[in-house]
Structures are given as C-alpha cells and as structure tokens.
Amino acid sequence: MSLRIIQTSDIHLGALFLFLKDKSTLHGKKVISAFKRSIDYAIKSKADVFFIVGDLFHTPFPDKYVQQIVIDELTRLSESGIKTLLLPGNHDHVEGGIFDDIKFLARLPDEVMLLDIKGIEGVKIEELGIRVYSQTVFENILDFDILQDNLINIALIHASVDIGKGSERKISLERMKSWDLKYIALGDWHGFLEVDKNIYYSGSPEILSSDQDGAGFILDVLIEEKGVLVKKIKVSEIASVKLEIDISKFSSLDLLLSHLKEKGNDNTIANIELKGLRSLDLLLDIERVENYLEDFYYHLNIKDMTLFKLSDAELDDLSNDMLIGSYVEFLKTKKESGEISDAVYEQAIQVGVNLLKGNNAN
C-alpha cells in the first residue's frame, strides 16, 4: 500500500504585512495565491490526503473573506476526492475562535477532518489505512498512546523541536523518535527543515517576514512499505536572499548603486549587509539608498556594517591617544618582525582603530 500526502503549515491567511508598507495588501494576495497553488498541486498529483499542520489563519478570528477562500479551496480538494486533515495552531486556536464557530464548521466539506489539539489517542481513518495522532503544543508535549496494528501511524504536531534553534515550544527529537511513528508532519517553524528521515517541517508556502529563510514550499510525501520519500515543491512567488557587499570595492556611491540595481529583482526580498572599509568621501544615507532602490526589488533592508578607512595622517594624529597609539605601535612591531603581512596589518589597523574610536556599525 502507498499513501501520498501533501503537507503544508503556517499559511497565516489574513496576516498584515506592515513591514512591506504599500505592498502589504499585495503580499496578502500572494499568500492566498501560494495556498491555492498548494491545492492545485495536490489535485494534479492525485494526492490521497492534504495536511494543514497548524496556523492556517493568522488569527482565531479571520474575516469572512478569508474564511470563504478556505471553504472554496478545501471544497476543490473534496470534489477531487482528497481528504483534508486540519490541525489548529497556536495563532488560530483560542476558545470561542474560528474552530468553535458552528457556522464555519458546518460549511466545511465532509472530506475535511478537524483534528484535536490533544489528539494523543489517535483517530482511525480506515479508507486511508492510517491512524492519525495530533497535538498543538502550548505548554508541555504529551506522549501519544501508540497502537500497533495493521494501520500506518502518523502524527501532525504544531510545535518546535529542540535541535539548538531556540524556541519556547520544544520537543526532544529523541522523544519523538521513541514514538516509532511512520511519519511526523511538523508545523510552527516557517522554513523547510528535515528534522529526521521521517520528520519534516514544510515551512510556510509563502514568505511571511523580511528575513525568513527556507519558506515557499509544500511537501510531497510518499509513504510506502519500504519507507518514506519526501520532495520539496516550490509554490511561492517571492524569494528571500542575503547579500554581503564589500564596500571597499566601490570608489563612489554611483558605482555601489549601479551594482545593487543589477542585483535587483521584482520578486526578491533582499537583506543587504554593507561591510568593509569605506573612504570618508563615500557618504552613505541608508534611508535614501533604500528609497532609490525600492523600485528594483520587491522589498529590501540595508544594514550598514562599514567602517571608515583612515588616512596615514589621521592615524598619526590618533597615535597621541594612549590606547590607540599603543595598539598602532603593537601592530607596527608585528609587521616589521614579519609576524603579520602588510595586508593583515592594514586590515587590523583600520578595523581596530575604528572600533577603538567607537565606530562599530551595528
């Protein structure tokens, strides 16, 4: 027997993307589009079941427009014979919220199953040959009462696994592995992550924050007797990139701006770090640079980590300072003795003196 699962989580329909300013409404539509493409893929691939592992909505009280989108899209799945397993997350679950709304629940197709946030005993789905356990972790993780029979044991868990990334909702990986489940679908982290050979985060189908890594995918999970095969499927329109620019390579602001324009893309969120030593003549006004480049990127953040390159005359003047003077003399001695190269000496002088002067860009 084989089972094809399409896994997604942390869609956050209805979120406000205020960091994008005038593009906030547009990005809300892109999040909806990524969700719809997830449904398209599930139908095209003839999946057996569609997993939503928490935080379908950004809030427990989504507006009627967002609710209607969910009804329409899950109905498309249902009409294609695909069952949906929907787990509330920490963002969209609260007593009296959307998942307690009788009117909303009544409009969901019959093929949609709302999972218990403390489904530790599991629920049998005989037509799929699986038993599904579920949990959304607000405080402490609970152990599942795993049954061993002819059904495939699977869990949907909205929580964070402790693998050194830091989180308030942690599960020990060893503890999860001890449950001996065929597959564990995770939600809560917004980027794709293979935790173990049968434990995966899909991440968000569309980027939700400016510095987000690994978002933009759903997972195509094929479970067979011989094992589990997981494929990443890209559904996002927007990409997030990090760029480190050595400003010492640019003799003028015009050359720097031309370089950044060439790197631009209408579908890219760029997080740019300017590093290195710059001359006093190269004046940077980060807000003006961002405003100048905003038409060349979907969104960009620029962080100035540069230090001023000091001239020989300026270094001589600063040598009267006891601390800076001692530092400069120490480096000169090291260079003259051959312990450090001219290049290392120059870098150490420039960076060290800037730091001692308090020019540490953050």
Side-chain angles (χ1 to χ4, degrees), residues 188-202:
D188 193 29
W189 290 1
H190 293 173
F192 164 81
L193 182 63
E194 178 183 355
V195 177
D196 203 50
K197 61 183 180 181
N198 65 332
I199 306 173
Y200 284 81
Y201 286 97
S202 64

Side-chain angles (χ1 to χ4, degrees), residues 52-68:
I52 301 175
V53 196
D55 290 347
L56 170 61
F57 301 107
H58 186 65
T59 166
F61 305 101
D63 62 36
K64 299 296 184 184
Y65 170 70
V66 171
Q67 292 181 38
Q68 187 60 52

